[in-house]
């Protein structure tokens, strides 16, 4: 139940940031004041209120995660909404899902001096994240808008290891920090739709010696998707 | 600027396109569940053994096979698991350099160790919820129904297992529950010290009230054991068990008698 409440809260927060419309902003208040003689010397005139993004994520493990799963993750997506709080900064919310999976060939494991086990094993990792994001845009008036930012928030994750018929699993809430570097490329100078792409580093605070993690789960992601200005 | 509904619609459309093209997981076959485990007494010197005795057939522990039924007849038949297992295990010990005796104690010799084989064959019924593709969401609030989910039973390429499921919801993203049955098989091989086995037999021969679980019963000494575990499937079960026996001996090079 607690999870559901957190989740709904995040969705509401996320939706309100993404689709907020009725609130007066710097842009439209300026516009009403100068309605008789539109002034274009205001740098902010053409700036969007914010962005809404939807991305496909391709992941690969780094650090200790490498020894747990060493294959690419082809399953991942994220959506996020951002709103400008001044000329260069946005704040918003995000949501993402990632799945890693590796199947190991049949092989023999020496459990201890006296015991061996031979079998096919698999490791899986799934997480679902919700949280806040902050981004900085160094180029104020460029058509292409590079940015640097960070996503912060709780993550619900599942790790599992299977060998033969035996299966162990760990599910828990953790905290995730994911700094990212990306760029918005609009489909033409006047378009409010474009491509969003970049790389993201994900760090999940997690310690579990059974699964071989003592300083967090780490993976990189290349993200690419559609961005919409609003 | 587009209106918000159009944006939301486009976003959802994009999400569907992106996620539906995602990668499927690799298949996991019945054979992939096969496990071979070996265990031995690290203190023991196997070169002190020369002769062995092996039981003439494999014992059955089962919740669905009854003495004399079709499964039982097949198991002990000429092409059944019992004959194949005893033959394979015997050959492995002969290859390692040990000598086979007809009984625990012959007129001239006593078996240094005894080998016993027992197979546990059980039928199980499980109930599982198929969470759909997006397994891992908090609270499992759905998951779109594409692709492969997880369930911890046998995979459906087993002809013995059947999946009499029902769909819990009309929409594919609800996931659904189903019940299934599967059969497990586990072969246990035990290599016990011969003198300890004879002590036990002597103890048991004192009368019908004497049992191995008696606190006064002499302790057995198992120097090596192997477990071959898996799900039963259509027609290659015996072959898979024999592969498991081969693996067990391969993983136990210390068994070699010089």
């Amino acid at each position: 139940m607690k999870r559901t409440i957190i989740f709904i809260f995040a969705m509401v927060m996320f939706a309100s940031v993404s689709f907020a419309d009725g609130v007066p902003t710097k842009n439209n208040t300026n516009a009403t004041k100068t309605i008789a003689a539109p002034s274009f010397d205001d740098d902010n005139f053409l700036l969007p209120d914010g962005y809404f993004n939807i991305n496909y994520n391709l992941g690969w493990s780094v650090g200790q995660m490498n020894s747990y799963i060493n294959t690419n993750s082809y399953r991942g997506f994220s959506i996020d909404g951002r709103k400008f709080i001044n000329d260069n900064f946005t704040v918003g919310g995000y949501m993402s899902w990632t799945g890693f999976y590796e199947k190991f060939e049949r092989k023999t494991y020496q459990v201890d001096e006296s015991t061996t086990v031979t079998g096919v094993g698999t490791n899986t990792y799934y997480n679902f994240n919700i949280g806040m994001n902050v981004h900085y845009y160094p180029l104020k008036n460029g058509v292409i808008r590079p940015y640097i930012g960070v996503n912060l928030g709780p993550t619900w994750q599942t790790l599992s290891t299977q060998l033969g018929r035996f299966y162990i699993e760990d599910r828990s809430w953790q905290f995730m920090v994911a700094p990212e570097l990306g760029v918005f490329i609009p489909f033409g100078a006047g378009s409010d739709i474009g491509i969003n792409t970049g790389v993201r580093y994900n760090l999940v605070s997690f310690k579990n010696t059974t699964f071989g993690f003592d300083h967090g789960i780490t993976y990189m992601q290349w993200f690419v998707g559609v961005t919409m200005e609003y | 600027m587009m209106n918000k509904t159009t944006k939301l619609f486009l976003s959802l459309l994009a999400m569907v396109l992106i996620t539906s093209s995602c990668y499927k997981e690799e298949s996991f076959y019945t054979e992939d569940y096969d496990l071979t485990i070996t265990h031995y007494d690290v203190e023991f010197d196997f070169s002190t053994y020369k002769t062995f005795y092996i039981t003439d057939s494999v014992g059955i522990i089962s919740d669905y096979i009854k003495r004399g039924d079709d499964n039982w007849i097949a198991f002990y038949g000429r092409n059944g698991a019992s004959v194949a297992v005893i033959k394979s295990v015997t050959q492995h010990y002969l290859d390692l350099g040990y000598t086979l005796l007809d009984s625990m104690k012959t007129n001239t010799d006593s078996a240094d160790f005894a080998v016993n084989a027992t197979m546990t064959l059980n039928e199980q019924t499980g109930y599982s919820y198929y969470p759909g593709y997006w397994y891992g969401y908090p609270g499992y609030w759905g998951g779109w129904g594409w692709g492969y989910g997880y369930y911890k039973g046998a995979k459906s390429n087993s002809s013995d297992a059947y999946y009499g499921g029902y769909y819990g919801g009309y929409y594919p993203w609800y996931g659904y529950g189903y019940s299934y049955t599967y059969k497990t098989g586990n072969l246990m091989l035990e290599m016990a010290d011969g003198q300890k086995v004879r002590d036990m037999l002597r103890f048991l021969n004192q009368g019908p009230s004497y049992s191995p679980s008696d606190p006064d019963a002499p302790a057995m000494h198992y120097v090596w054991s192997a477990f071959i575990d898996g799900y039963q499937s259509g027609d290659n079960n015996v072959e898979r068990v024999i592969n498991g026996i081969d693996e067990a001996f391969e993983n136990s090079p210390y068994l070699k008698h010089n």
Side-chain angles (χ1 to χ4, degrees):
Chain A
M1 194 58 205
K2 196 172 139 199
R3 281 173 209 149
T4 316
I5 292 166
I6 293 171
F7 180 72
I8 290 168
F9 170 74
M11 286 298 282
V12 169
M13 182 185 73
F14 169 74
S16 58
V17 172
S18 305
F19 298 107
D21 204 12
V23 187
T25 65
K26 196 157 72 174
N27 290 357
N28 57 29
T29 47
N30 282 350
T32 47
K33 275 177 196 162
T34 57
I35 195 156
S39 162
F40 291 96
D41 40 62
D42 182 351
D43 282 349
N44 294 327
F45 186 75
L46 291 170
L47 286 183
D49 284 356
Y51 297 104
F52 178 75
N53 304 303
I54 174 155
N55 299 313
Y56 168 74
N57 299 331
L58 175 72
W60 63 96
S61 52
V62 292
Q64 282 186 330
M65 182 69 169
N66 253 332
S67 48
Y68 184 66
I69 294 177
N70 197 17
T71 53
N72 291 340
S73 157
Y74 296 101
R75 288 178 301 155
F77 77 87
S78 56
I79 53 180
D80 70 89
R82 308 174 191 182
K83 191 171 177 60
F84 277 97
I85 49 164
N86 62 33
D87 291 350
N88 297 97
F89 280 94
T90 57
V91 292
Y94 81 100
M95 189 174 101
S96 74
W97 183 87
T98 304
F100 278 93
Y101 174 83
E102 185 169 10
K103 182 178 177 181
F104 301 96
E105 292 291 296
R106 188 169 188 82
K107 62 179 173 184
T108 300
Y109 303 87
Q110 191 79 39
V111 178
D112 57 38
E113 202 191 347
S114 63
T115 311
T116 65
V117 177
T118 304
V120 174
T122 60
N123 281 340
T124 53
Y125 177 72
Y126 291 102
N127 71 20
F128 176 78
N129 316 296
I130 45 176
M132 299 287 293
N133 61 27
V134 182
H135 290 88
Y136 171 70
Y137 307 80
L139 301 181
K140 209 157 67 168
N141 293 317
V143 174
I144 287 173
R145 303 205 74 185
Y147 61 83
I148 184 165
V150 64
N151 304 292
L152 293 165
T155 182
W156 171 246
Q157 66 172 22
T158 306
L159 285 97
S160 63
T161 293
Q162 184 169 340
L163 187 60
R165 292 203 287 129
F166 299 93
Y167 184 91
I168 53 167
E169 187 176 73
D170 180 278
R171 298 179 191 173
S172 56
W173 279 102
Q174 302 293 341
F175 188 75
M176 184 179 210
V177 181
E180 62 186 10
L181 201 63
V183 62
F184 293 132
I185 308 164
F187 298 131
S191 175
D192 61 358
I193 301 181
I195 287 173
N196 173 35
T197 186
V199 286
R200 185 187 297 137
Y201 174 78
N202 300 268
L203 168 64
V204 180
S205 62
F206 179 64
K207 194 173 173 177
N208 185 317
T209 47
T210 310
F211 289 98
F213 291 101
D214 56 20
H215 43 264
I217 288 173
T218 47
Y219 58 93
M220 294 290 294
Q221 280 175 321
W222 168 64
F223 58 88
V224 61
V226 182
T227 184
M228 281 161 272
E229 291 180 0
Y230 63 88
Chain B
M1 297 240 173
M2 284 186 291
N3 73 47
K4 304 300 175 194
T5 318
T6 315
K7 273 186 186 174
L8 184 62
F9 176 76
L10 280 177
S11 310
L12 290 173
L13 185 70
M15 194 201 283
V16 167
L17 289 176
I18 288 167
T19 53
S20 62
S21 60
C22 286
Y23 202 68
K24 284 181 187 172
E25 284 185 2
E26 288 174 70
S27 305
F28 212 73
Y29 300 103
T30 310
E31 288 79 9
D32 292 340
Y33 291 98
D34 290 354
L35 213 56
T36 300
I37 303 171
T38 66
H39 183 77
Y40 79 109
D41 180 352
V42 290
E43 308 284 310
F44 187 73
D45 178 7
F46 288 89
S47 66
T48 60
Y49 282 166
K50 287 184 182 62
T51 56
F52 73 104
Y53 169 75
I54 185 166
T55 51
D56 61 356
S57 60
V58 178
I60 283 189
I61 298 170
S62 177
D63 61 3
Y64 71 97
I65 299 176
K66 302 277 175 290
R67 190 180 186 86
D69 71 11
D70 288 351
N71 283 316
W72 193 88
I73 290 165
F75 187 84
Y76 289 111
R78 200 147 35 102
N79 300 314
S82 177
V83 171
V85 166
I86 298 299
K87 196 177 149 197
S88 167
V89 175
T90 305
Q91 193 56 51
H92 276 291
Y93 280 112
L94 291 174
D95 291 347
L96 287 165
Y98 298 104
T99 306
L100 176 66
L101 300 184
D102 291 341
S103 68
M104 280 306 293
K105 192 168 171 60
T106 63
N107 293 334
T108 53
D109 219 340
S110 302
D112 291 327
F113 66 93
V115 181
N116 186 36
T118 310
M119 209 178 253
T120 308
L121 300 164
N122 282 331
E123 186 170 62
Q124 327 228 347
T125 301
Y127 181 79
S128 192
Y129 180 71
Y130 185 98
Y133 196 60
W134 302 108
Y135 177 77
Y137 273 109
Y140 303 109
W141 53 274
W144 289 263
W146 302 306
Y148 290 66
Y150 272 81
Y151 49 92
K152 288 155 214 164
K155 205 105 189 186
S156 60
N157 69 336
S158 152
S159 61
D160 287 350
Y162 66 89
Y163 296 84
Y166 67 90
Y167 292 84
Y170 181 78
Y171 299 101
W173 53 81
Y174 274 10
Y176 55 89
Y178 57 89
S179 64
Y180 55 92
T181 61
Y182 56 91
K183 287 172 181 164
T184 58
N186 182 304
L187 171 68
M188 181 168 70
L189 297 175
E190 291 167 313
M191 178 175 176
D193 181 74
Q195 190 52 51
K196 293 281 164 48
V197 173
R198 280 186 290 275
D199 291 347
M200 173 65 88
L201 291 172
R202 198 173 301 123
F203 176 79
L204 297 176
N205 283 339
Q206 292 174 92
S209 62
Y210 292 85
S211 90
S213 56
D214 202 308
D216 298 329
M220 295 285 281
H221 181 203
Y222 296 104
V223 292
W224 180 79
S225 54
F227 303 88
I228 289 103
D229 180 83
Y231 290 109
Q232 296 183 54
S233 72
D235 48 11
N236 62 343
N237 292 319
V238 174
E239 192 188 317
R240 282 163 50 218
V241 169
I242 301 301
N243 288 343
I245 294 169
D246 293 345
E247 276 178 346
F249 279 92
E250 214 171 280
N251 293 344
S252 311
Y254 44 80
L255 288 177
K256 195 166 176 63
H257 173 70
N258 297 316

